[in-house]
Amino acid sequence: MSKQRRSTSRAIAVFLAFALVQVCIQLSFAAPVPQQFIARLTTTGNQPITVNGASAASGASLLTGATIETPAAVSATIDLGALGTVELQPNSSIQLDFDDSGNVRVKVLRGCVVIKKNGPGEAEAYTAEGASEKTSSSRKGMGFCYLNGGLKPSQTTAAVGGGVGGEGIGTAALVAILAGGGALAAGLIWAFHGGGDNPSPR
């Protein structure tokens, strides 16, 4: 009986070991499950806003597809980590979508929004009526307000960088900078090459 029990125990042990090996092999070949990217919310004074119809404040997590609304006198910033940020002005409403490729889409439903894009992918602000504005290699920041189904550049875009609607530095400012640089260069040349009535060496 003892030999039979030992044989039975060995058979069970071999079977369990084989089953464990099979499970490990299956797990090693299984495709990894991607983790869904989560954005973080910050509001003015930690005051509540509305996310998908429910109250939310600073520290709340936002998933793609969320509808975010700010009341009067309360603004909000959505931190997308390496992708950038989306800022809502008071009394604004957007639908926010983002993906693992770095693309960010903001459907402006009401009010004003500022998008600051970082990393790969592009950001797009658009309306249900078909208006659309996108970031590019030379336009990483943009701000717009919803107006009659369109997107009107907002005054806050100047602080984002790249000028309103992606415009660069103004012509007058560029001329002033070049003129100032030329004057500085002329002054340096004059100072180091005979300027100031330096006495000639004897």
Side-chain angles (χ1 to χ4, degrees), residues 15-93:
F15 173 78
L16 292 175
F18 177 78
L20 181 61
V21 169
Q22 293 299 315
V23 171
C24 292
I25 291 174
Q26 292 297 325
L27 290 176
S28 65
F29 284 102
V33 178
Q35 295 183 348
Q36 191 170 19
F37 184 82
I38 298 176
R40 299 294 177 186
L41 176 68
T42 303
T43 65
T44 303
N46 197 29
Q47 299 180 70
I49 65 171
T50 302
V51 177
N52 294 331
S55 179
S58 295
S61 301
L62 302 177
L63 298 178
T64 183
T67 298
I68 305 108
E69 300 178 65
T70 55
V74 180
S75 60
T77 299
I78 302 163
D79 184 0
L80 296 168
L83 303 185
T85 59
V86 176
E87 301 174 7
L88 274 75
Q89 300 302 311
N91 197 27
S92 299
S93 177

Side-chain angles (χ1 to χ4, degrees), residues 67-69 92-95 107-111 126-128 146:
T67 298
I68 305 108
E69 300 178 65
S92 299
S93 177
I94 66 168
Q95 177 182 313
K107 185 177 182 179
V108 186
L109 305 172
R110 184 182 71 247
Y126 69 102
T127 69
Y146 180 90

